[in-house]
Amino acid sequence: MSDYRERRALIGGGAVVWTRTAGAGPQRVLPDGCTDLIWSGTGPDGELIVAGPDTRAHLASGPPGTHAVGLRFAPGAGPAVLGVPAHELRDLRVPLAALWPDAEVRRLAERIAERTAGWAAERIAGRESAPGRVLEEAALGRLRTAEPPDPVLAAIVAGASRGTGVAGIAAAVGLGERQLHRRSLAAFGYGAKTLGRVLRLNRALDLARTGVRFAEVAATAGYADQAHLAREVRTLTGVPLSRLLRAPGG
């Protein structure tokens, strides 16, 4: 069975550091509006990859027991660190070396290798993951020289989380709908409407995991009815809600 843990990241802004040990078979990674900087323990020295914002579930595979550590940025926060608009990474997993200079990626990989020695014992003891700390340090370094975040992003996320329509969000942030779409693509990887669907899905899953009846989940999360909830879950995750909740880690 896979093992997954997470904690708040030192960089703040809603970012988290997560660790995962792969179980048997692929792991279903659900869309959440976020981007991730990931170190995977595959190969002799591991690899550094970037996971873009997903519009549908992604099946992550790897040999059982493989360790991975990721720094997940809150919706809209990833581009400042990664250096590319989010829509260029939508539904993709790409090597970090495709985005950052080779020398910078090499130094990051070397720092992780230096500090990974003995990490397995630390992890068993419940202590912090060395790769996670190195990823945080790299992100902090990039944020020091990054452009200030787009000031409307927080309001866009808030509106999408409440289920506000595109026209309402555009009016609230003082943009035309086309401007809103362009800035949402750059920050989130997709428009405000899709962002709202993804955030609503995660809100619904949080409720369903606590044992709330599906009809009540649909009403509380903002779906028209239970059938609407079922269609959206299947569209975005690839499986029915009941099967999703039965899966390991569901």
Side-chain angles (χ1 to χ4, degrees):
M1 179 178 294
S2 64
D3 175 48
Y4 177 87
R5 307 176 192 180
E6 67 178 44
R7 65 165 173 80
R8 291 182 179 179
L10 298 177
I11 65 173
V16 301
V17 172
W18 55 264
T19 62
R20 186 184 70 208
T21 303
Q27 311 296 307
R28 190 176 300 272
V29 181
L30 304 183
D32 56 10
C34 303
T35 52
D36 297 64
L37 175 57
I38 302 170
W39 175 84
S40 173
T42 55
D45 300 316
E47 61 177 343
L48 288 160
I49 61 175
V50 171
D54 292 325
T55 59
R56 58 188 181 276
H58 172 82
L59 295 179
S61 59
T66 300
H67 300 304
V69 179
L71 175 58
R72 178 180 301 125
F73 304 103
V81 174
L82 301 175
V84 295
H87 65 83
E88 294 187 11
L89 302 171
R90 184 174 55 233
D91 291 319
L92 296 177
R93 303 296 184 270
V94 301
L96 181 61
L99 307 179
W100 291 7
D102 289 341
E104 187 175 358
V105 175
R106 186 166 56 251
R107 286 194 299 270
L108 179 58
E110 289 171 353
R111 285 163 54 203
I112 290 177
E114 290 171 358
R115 293 170 59 175
T116 302
W119 175 52
E122 291 179 357
R123 188 175 179 283
I124 291 172
R127 292 194 285 272
E128 293 289 350
S129 73
R133 289 295 192 192
V134 177
L135 295 179
E136 287 179 291
E137 292 165 4
L140 282 169
R142 284 207 145 222
L143 285 171
R144 292 189 188 103
T145 59
E147 293 291 328
D150 189 333
V152 303
L153 297 187
I156 294 173
V157 173
S161 298
R162 291 192 297 267
T164 305
V166 171
I169 294 175
V173 299
L175 296 175
E177 291 186 30
R178 290 185 179 180
Q179 289 178 305
L180 172 66
H181 187 68
R182 285 196 299 269
R183 286 160 81 162
S184 295
L185 284 179
F188 311 117
Y190 28 65
K193 182 177 180 180
T194 299
L195 177 65
R197 291 177 64 201
V198 168
L199 297 179
R200 181 175 59 185
L201 168 72
N202 283 271
R203 186 163 63 250
L205 293 177
D206 287 342
L207 289 168
R209 290 181 184 115
T210 66
V212 176
R213 295 172 59 248
F214 291 175
E216 185 177 348
V217 168
T220 304
Y223 293 93
D225 51 31
Q226 187 174 335
H228 184 203
L229 166 66
R231 290 194 302 272
E232 282 287 275
V233 170
R234 184 182 285 273
T235 298
L236 294 171
T237 73
V239 295
L241 178 55
S242 57
R243 178 179 168 187
L244 191 64
L245 296 177
R246 289 197 303 268

